């Protein structure tokens, strides 16, 4: 992960770099740093453990200033989070470099550089790159040539940006496997991991391609491809206003984003509000592709993977179309046997998740009918590289724990189910039922949000616990998985989800009066079976928390707490119940005093494999 920003301008850029880092903090937040070349051509450096706000404090106390600089916010891979391991890394007091990615052959390179007299200060993989670049520059190469020679020996993934006091108005950068965009200004140029970081200074961007190396200065911009050939990459203007996301009356972005769901769900579905617009929501050419689709392969990570698991039930049961779902990090390394006519569907909030992107890129020529991405961030790598695109309308999601992105993904997937289902004999009556349910969904979510205080009162029981079990059957199993992921991610309570029928095959051994058990029990056709499973748990002394349709026939009793949920159409219940589980996790985390929006060890966008 990590976020990088760089600037080559004729004005002082430290505040531009800091603002860029603030906007990139979703990519990592365990340490941050920046290096600038001052008027005397000296390197000025700040590196701090902790969030970007720590770097800002250091800058206020003792400003480092210059017109050329690089900056970084880190999510540690090699070397613990610390000031020493924070980027930029320095070589020979002349070169400073920032990196997003992983250098896989760093050990061999380190040995080679040690033999040549280089000394290492940090435990990072990145430090080899700055010494390599220094070696090439010291041999007399210019910035572009030095970066080309350096990149040639690197294995792994990287976006790199570097400055050199001998070339005080230039920044050189390289991209292989990690995103990097050039922000084109007037008499100044910039680089960043995400265009969002630079929207304060420009609306014109060049999205670099794999293997590209770029040199910027206030007056020039040169790009060479992986073969060293000069290339022109297209200039993209992004005119939409930058979303300014304020907390408003909320204490945390996660809570704000939970409460934004009625509007986000409505906006996502509204894309298909006109007659015949359903196919068009998936991009030009979707109708023709959907006519040929015989099966669906969904690939995603984390919460987005859970959305895919839910969709499998919809696609198979409602649309009668075969669907496989796999986490991207497994899919990409597996020898696969394809089925003719399969549509590859990737799901990703950020559109930058490294494994999901690699899975899309690894799809063999002819393996799939087409690729479709369901993403929340326009212009992201997955959006740019997929043939069909559905953009969820969640708006910017800041909290690391995904909430509104997940539920809007589910709306998109239910719309896909409709689009494919009506080609495969889904009755007009069924189509109308699903459409009506999607229209009513924001209202049912609103009714769930009103249960906040009741859900908060359940959270007390989780505070002293170290573990929790989540149970669901059928389509509610992935919803239970999502509930468990939310709880572990922000409260650090170990939580696992099981299909309720699996309990007696092992996990029941864990159940005692120290193990709270959350059941997602909406009252579908599997209700009676689920009730038996819950009895098995209760008789082992566990305290049960049952999220049930208020008409399902559950009643609270000692050690069984029922949270009566709105009675709503079956097809949208997975979405409605998710909202209640999000609130439960939020309140548990709040009481435990964890950093709800930026939980430890995580980042919002996972751009390393
Ligand atoms: O941006 P993506 O949807 O591709 O991200 C995938 C996962 O990293 C993400 O969903 C993660 O699991 C969330 N933090 C969970 O809340």
């Amino acid at each position: 992960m990590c976020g990088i920003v760089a600037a080559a301008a004729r004005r002082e850029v430290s505040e531009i770099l800091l603002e860029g880092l603030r906007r990139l903090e979703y990519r990592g937040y365990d340490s941050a740093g920046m290096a600038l070349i001052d008027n005397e051509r000296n390197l000025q450096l700040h590196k701090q453990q902790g969030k970007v706000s720590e770097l800002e404090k250091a800058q206020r106390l003792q400003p480092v200033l210059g017109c050329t600089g690089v900056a970084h916010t880190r999510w540690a891979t090699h070397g613990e989070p610390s000031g020493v391991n924070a980027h930029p890394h320095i070589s020979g007091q002349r070169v400073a470099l920032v990196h997003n990615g992983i250098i896989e052959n760093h050990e061999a390179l380190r040995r080679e550089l040690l033999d040549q007299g280089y000394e290492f200060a940090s435990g990072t993989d990145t430090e080899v790159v700055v010494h390599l670049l220094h070696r090439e520059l010291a041999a007399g190469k210019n910035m572009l040539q030095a970066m080309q020679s350096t990149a040639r020996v690197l294995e792994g993934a990287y976006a790199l940006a570097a400055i050199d006091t001998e070339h005080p108005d230039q920044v050189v950068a390289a991209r292989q496997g990690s995103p990097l965009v050039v922000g084109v200004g007037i008499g100044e140029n910039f680089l960043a991991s995400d265009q969002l970081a630079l929207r304060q200074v420009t609306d014109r961007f060049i999205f670099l391609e794999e293997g590209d190396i770029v040199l910027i200065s206030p007056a020039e911009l040169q790009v060479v491809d992986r073969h060293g050939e000069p290339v022109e990459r297209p200039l993209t203007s992004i005119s939409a206003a930058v979303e300014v996301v304020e907390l408003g009356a909320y204490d945390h972005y996660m809570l704000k984003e939970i409460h934004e769901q009625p509007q986000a769900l409505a906006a996502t579905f509204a894309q298909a509000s006109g007659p015949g617009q359903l196919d068009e929501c998936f991009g030009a050419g979707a109708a023709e592709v959907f006519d040929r689709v015989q099966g669906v392969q969904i690939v995603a990570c984390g919460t987005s993977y859970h959305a895919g698991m839910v969709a499998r039930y919809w696609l198979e049961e409602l649309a009668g179309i075969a669907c496989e779902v796999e986490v991207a990090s497994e899919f990409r390394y597996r020898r696969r046997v394809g089925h003719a006519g399969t549509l590859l569907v990737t799901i990703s909030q950020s559109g930058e998740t490294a494994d999901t992107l690699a899975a899309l890129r690894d799809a063999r020529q002819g393996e799939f009918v087409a690729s479709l991405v369901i993403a929340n961030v326009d212009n992201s790598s997955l959006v740019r590289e997929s043939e069909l695109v559905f953009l969820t309308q969640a708006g910017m999601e800041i909290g690391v724990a995904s909430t509104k992105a997940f539920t809007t993904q589910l709306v998109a997937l239910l719309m896909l189910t409709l689009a494919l289902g009506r080609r495969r004999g889904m009755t007009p009556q069924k189509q109308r039922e699903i459409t009506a349910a999607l229209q009513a969904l924001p209202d049912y979510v609103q009714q769930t949000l009103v249960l906040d205080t009741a859900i908060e009162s359940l959270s007390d029981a989780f505070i002293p616990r170290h573990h929790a079990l989540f149970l669901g059957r059928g389509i509610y199993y992935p919803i239970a998985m999502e509930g468990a992921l939310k709880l572990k991610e922000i409260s650090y309570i170990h939580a696992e989800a099981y299909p309720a029928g699996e309990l007696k095959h092992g996990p029941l051994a864990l159940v005692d009066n120290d193990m709270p058990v959350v059941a997602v029990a909406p009252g579908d056709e599997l209700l009676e079976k689920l009730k038996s499973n819950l009895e098995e748990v209760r008789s082992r002394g566990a305290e049960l928390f049952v999220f049930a349709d208020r008409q399902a026939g559950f009643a609270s009793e000692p050690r069984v707490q029922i949270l009566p949920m709105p009675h709503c159409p079956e097809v949208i219940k997975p979405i409605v119940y998710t909202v209640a589980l999000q609130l439960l996790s939020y309140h548990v985390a709040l009481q435990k005093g964890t950093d709800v929006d930026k939980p430890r060890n995580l980042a919002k966008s996972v751009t390393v494999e």
Side-chain angles (χ1 to χ4, degrees):
M1 276 85 84
C2 309
I4 68 182
V5 202
R10 295 191 176 104
R11 56 176 163 156
E12 205 287 306
V13 293
S14 61
E15 188 41 48
I16 294 173
L17 296 178
L18 277 172
E19 176 59 24
L21 290 186
R22 280 180 216 118
R23 294 175 185 210
L24 289 179
E25 220 178 10
Y26 72 89
R27 304 176 69 87
Y29 40 78
D30 63 44
S31 49
M34 62 180 183
L36 293 114
I37 301 176
D38 69 14
N39 289 341
E40 268 82 52
R41 293 190 170 201
N42 292 318
L43 271 183
Q44 297 291 341
L45 180 69
H46 268 318
K47 305 211 289 186
Q48 296 293 324
Q49 186 173 349
K51 300 196 173 116
V52 173
S53 53
E54 297 302 318
L55 184 64
E56 290 172 280
K57 275 185 214 156
Q59 174 73 356
R60 273 197 301 275
L61 286 175
Q62 199 178 357
V64 295
L65 304 172
C67 301
T68 309
V70 290
H72 188 270
T73 179
R74 181 170 187 245
W75 180 83
T77 58
H78 296 63
E80 79 281 0
S82 67
V84 170
N85 288 334
H87 301 212
H89 292 286
I90 304 295
S91 188
Q93 281 313 310
R94 75 173 262 196
V95 184
L97 175 134
V98 292
H99 168 219
N100 164 208
I102 292 176
I103 305 302
E104 288 169 1
N105 58 338
H106 70 101
E107 282 170 356
L109 293 170
R110 182 182 277 249
R111 282 194 296 274
E112 180 187 320
L113 287 157
L114 282 168
D115 287 346
Q116 292 168 1
Y118 280 97
E119 286 175 9
F120 284 79
S122 78
T124 66
D125 54 334
T126 302
E127 200 177 348
V128 297
V129 190
V130 74
H131 293 319
L132 286 170
L133 189 66
H134 176 273
R135 186 178 74 185
E136 302 303 319
L137 287 163
K141 291 183 179 160
N142 66 32
M143 289 281 264
L144 212 49
Q145 292 164 340
M147 186 57 99
Q148 281 175 303
S149 317
T150 300
R152 218 167 283 135
V153 299
L154 300 179
E155 290 166 18
Y158 51 81
L160 301 164
I163 52 176
D164 173 20
T165 53
E166 299 292 316
H167 301 89
D169 63 346
Q170 297 182 345
V171 180
V172 70
R175 180 209 165 158
Q176 178 67 49
S178 300
L180 193 61
V181 61
V182 181
V184 181
I186 299 169
E188 54 189 15
N189 288 301
F190 307 91
L191 289 154
S193 303
D194 181 344
Q195 46 86 16
L196 193 67
L198 301 175
R199 295 292 289 282
Q200 39 157 341
V201 283
T202 184
D203 58 3
R204 296 184 303 151
F205 297 97
I206 293 171
F207 293 93
L208 295 174
E209 294 187 9
E210 293 292 73
D212 281 355
I213 294 178
V214 60
L215 180 87
I216 61 167
S217 73
E220 64 180 332
L221 165 55
Q222 285 180 57
V223 185
V224 296
D225 68 11
R226 63 171 77 245
H227 309 294
E229 297 298 325
V231 278
E232 291 252 335
R233 299 290 180 217
L235 189 69
T236 306
S237 289
I238 301 181
S239 52
V242 188
E243 242 178 298
V244 179
V245 186
E246 304 287 352
L247 265 177
Y250 294 95
D251 289 336
H252 296 99
Y253 283 105
M254 182 185 179
L255 187 63
K256 179 170 187 272
E257 287 157 5
I258 290 172
H259 281 266
E260 283 169 352
Q261 287 177 109
Q263 184 276 329
L265 297 168
T268 300
F269 184 52
Q271 298 182 98
S273 58
Q277 283 184 351
L278 187 58
D279 291 346
E280 284 171 28
C281 300
F282 295 88
E288 185 269 325
V289 168
F290 289 170
D291 287 345
R292 292 187 285 134
V293 169
Q294 302 295 322
V296 175
Q297 171 70 63
I298 297 178
V299 180
C301 301
T303 286
S304 298
Y305 167 68
H306 295 157
M309 287 184 73
V310 174
R312 186 175 60 165
Y313 289 88
W314 285 333
L315 286 164
E316 298 210 334
E317 284 172 19
L318 301 172
I321 193 160
C323 176
E324 300 282 334
V325 191
E326 195 163 352
V327 285
S329 51
E330 292 298 318
F331 177 87
R332 60 182 288 199
Y333 288 116
R334 187 167 66 77
R335 188 167 162 209
R336 305 182 291 266
V337 178
H339 299 285
T342 302
L343 175 69
L344 176 66
V345 179
T346 56
I347 311 173
S348 175
Q349 188 286 129
S350 60
E352 298 291 351
T353 299
D355 284 317
T356 312
L357 187 58
L360 172 69
R361 289 175 178 165
D362 288 354
R364 294 185 303 278
Q365 189 74 31
E367 188 180 357
F368 297 100
V369 166
S371 59
L372 160 68
V373 65
I374 295 173
N376 193 41
V377 179
D378 199 3
N379 285 307
S380 54
S381 300
L382 276 161
V383 168
R384 291 200 307 276
E385 295 184 29
S386 298
E387 288 150 283
L388 301 177
V389 175
F390 184 107
L391 284 175
T392 50
Q393 300 299 310
M396 198 185 289
E397 192 179 66
I398 309 258
V400 164
S402 190
T403 52
K404 59 179 181 171
F406 176 68
T407 51
T408 53
Q409 286 167 353
L410 291 181
V411 168
L413 288 159
L414 197 46
M415 289 165 73
L416 180 66
T417 305
L418 270 176
L420 296 177
R422 67 185 190 190
R423 289 171 162 83
R424 306 177 69 86
M426 185 190 281
T427 64
Q429 166 65 16
K430 193 56 156 177
Q431 291 176 44
R432 278 195 297 276
E433 267 174 47
I434 297 174
T435 305
L438 279 166
Q439 266 151 0
L441 175 63
D443 189 42
Y444 288 113
V445 169
Q446 196 60 53
Q447 291 177 39
T448 307
L449 293 173
V450 170
L451 301 173
D452 187 56
T453 312
I455 295 171
E456 184 181 2
S457 67
L458 300 184
S459 62
D460 295 352
F462 291 79
I463 309 308
R465 309 284 177 226
H466 297 292
H467 308 276
L469 273 184
F470 283 67
L471 303 178
R473 291 195 77 119
I475 198 167
Y476 301 101
Y477 168 48
I479 297 301
M481 291 172 80
E482 175 58 12
L485 177 61
K486 275 316 73 111
L487 187 70
K488 71 180 102 170
E489 185 176 21
I490 59 169
S491 76
Y492 316 151
I493 293 175
H494 170 227
E496 293 301 332
Y498 282 93
E502 270 294 292
L503 261 190
K504 56 178 92 56
H505 300 289
L508 200 55
L510 294 170
V511 173
D512 60 13
N513 55 10
D514 253 350
M515 176 72 88
V517 177
V518 177
V520 191
D524 64 356
E525 59 198 18
L526 293 170
L527 180 65
E528 290 311 317
K529 290 189 187 305
L530 183 67
K531 280 181 175 168
S532 313
N533 299 142
L534 297 185
E535 277 310 314
E536 292 160 10
V537 168
R538 195 160 75 108
S539 56
R540 269 81 186 175
E543 189 165 5
L544 273 170
F545 300 86
V546 185
F547 289 75
D549 188 305
R550 56 169 70 112
Q551 296 182 8
F554 281 106
S556 287
E557 47 190 291
R559 297 192 72 75
V560 180
Q561 301 216 42
I562 305 295
L563 197 283
M565 293 287 293
H567 180 62
C568 62
E570 212 56 52
V571 71
I572 54 166
K573 279 184 178 169
I575 305 175
V576 174
Y577 280 61
T578 297
V579 175
L581 296 177
Q582 293 167 350
L583 286 170
L584 178 68
S585 298
Y586 174 75
H587 285 298
V588 175
L590 195 64
Q591 289 206 55
K592 290 200 73 176
T594 57
D595 190 340
V596 173
D597 286 332
K598 292 196 172 94
R600 68 187 182 199
N601 307 339
L602 300 180
K604 182 73 185 157
S605 183
V606 184
T607 57
V608 292
E609 76 165 290

